Amino acid sequence: MTAVISVQGLNKVYGSGFQALKNVDLDIQAGEIFALLGPNGAGKTTLISIICGIVNPSEGTVLADGHDIVKDYRAARSAIGLVPQELSTDAFETVWATVSFSRGLFGKPRNDAHIEKVLKSLSLWDKKDNKIITLSGGMKRRVMIAKALSHEPKILFLDEPTAGVDVELRREMWEMVRQLREQGVTIILTTHYIEEAEEMADRVGIINRGQIILVDDKARLMEKLGRKQLTVQLAEPLSALPGSLNYESLELSDDGYAMVYTYDANQESTGIAELLRKLSDEDIEFKDLHSRQSSLEDIFVDLVNSTASAQSGSAQ
């Protein structure tokens, strides 16, 4: 596949000396939904701001739709739409006017049919009264998306697009993102709702402390790093695990009524049969068995924590 965004050797050091990005290399493929995940302060917004031309890089190169964001910034920016975290709208302007104005900023000719199509797709179409001042926070976010789509970009950045919106609106936005992808738009999504990335993304990138620590296909990532857990509901509580069951992958719940066994489902032997045999040998009765696959959130937390520990260790 063709990389619609190519980031090579990107560094950003602010005047205070803080290094927000460290040697970032990243290729985003045309037509995919790419989820960029990371804790607060990891560098997500800085990376997006550089690609979109809002922040200047200290070192490195960035190509957007084949255009260098510094040398050919007009062409690069015209290929990009950005929906920022912060809501910023003109309270005294109509939705139609503010979206049309955004299109004009990119030198695009007037196209009422396209503006109408965008507004209808976001349930913002109302010829009689489209005053932004009457819109809720969730509707204002839709207006921000409409502004970002007004000039028909090939690349759309959604920086925390569903922050503060209700579940119904969030589902509607997910459906809109899928439709845009079907039209060939590349979507880059940052979110703190891990289930959003799990639901939407084709690939996932994780950034922490200014460094990209992982980029992989979502399904392959969950298969490769995901764990399974078997929960054994006991008939009677235990105060502690017996010696024969006292091993790292098995934990007793705080109330003593359940044991949680973590295992790798890809291994030829999961160890479940051995566990059940030991329960029988110890005369421990159980009422139920329940298994679950680790989620993308579990994987994300483990990766961030392990990376932070490794970086702290190397700094000492």
Side-chain angles (χ1 to χ4, degrees), residues 238-239 251-258:
L238 293 176
S239 58
E251 295 181 354
L252 184 66
S253 64
D254 291 339
D255 63 7
Y257 273 99

Side-chain angles (χ1 to χ4, degrees), residues 5 10 24 32 57 80 100-102 105 114 116 130 138 158 181 191 201 203 205 244 248 256 263-264 268 309 314:
I5 294 177
L10 187 63
V24 171
E32 74 172 333
I80 296 173
S100 298
F101 179 74
S102 291
L105 290 176
H114 176 69
E116 182 177 334
N130 252 332
L158 299 172
R181 195 260 299 273
T191 180
R203 288 197 304 150
S244 63
E248 187 177 351
Y263 63 98
D264 185 349
E268 184 175 343
S309 299
S314 62

Side-chain angles (χ1 to χ4, degrees), residues 228-298:
K228 277 198 169 183
Q229 289 184 332
L230 177 71
T231 300
V232 182
Q233 297 290 340
L234 302 176
E236 298 292 338
L238 293 176
S239 58
L241 290 173
S244 63
L245 294 173
N246 194 12
Y247 43 93
E248 187 177 351
S249 57
L250 185 66
E251 295 181 354
L252 184 66
S253 64
D254 291 339
D255 63 7
Y257 273 99
M259 290 187 297
V260 180
Y261 174 60
T262 303
Y263 63 98
D264 185 349
N266 297 316
Q267 294 291 331
E268 184 175 343
S269 175
T270 62
I272 293 176
E274 181 184 359
L275 171 62
L276 296 180
R277 180 181 58 77
K278 287 184 177 181
L279 289 177
S280 178
D281 292 343
E282 295 286 346
D283 292 324
I284 298 174
E285 297 183 4
F286 59 89
K287 298 188 298 183
D288 193 17
L289 299 173
H290 173 70
S291 66
R292 66 177 288 268
Q293 177 81 35
S294 59
S295 66
L296 184 58
E297 181 172 8
D298 298 326

Side-chain angles (χ1 to χ4, degrees), residues 298-315:
D298 298 326
I299 297 169
F300 167 74
V301 171
D302 286 347
L303 282 170
V304 169
N305 288 342
S306 62
T307 303
S309 299
Q311 290 175 339
S312 298
S314 62

Side-chain angles (χ1 to χ4, degrees), residues 165-190:
V165 305
D166 59 39
V167 174
E168 183 178 0
L169 180 54
R170 187 178 304 159
R171 293 285 179 181
E172 290 178 4
M173 287 188 177
W174 290 357
E175 182 58 32
M176 180 208 69
V177 168
R178 290 190 183 95
Q179 292 174 0
L180 288 171
R181 195 260 299 273
E182 290 174 1
Q183 297 167 16
V185 178
T186 302
I187 313 289
I188 298 91
L189 168 75
T190 73

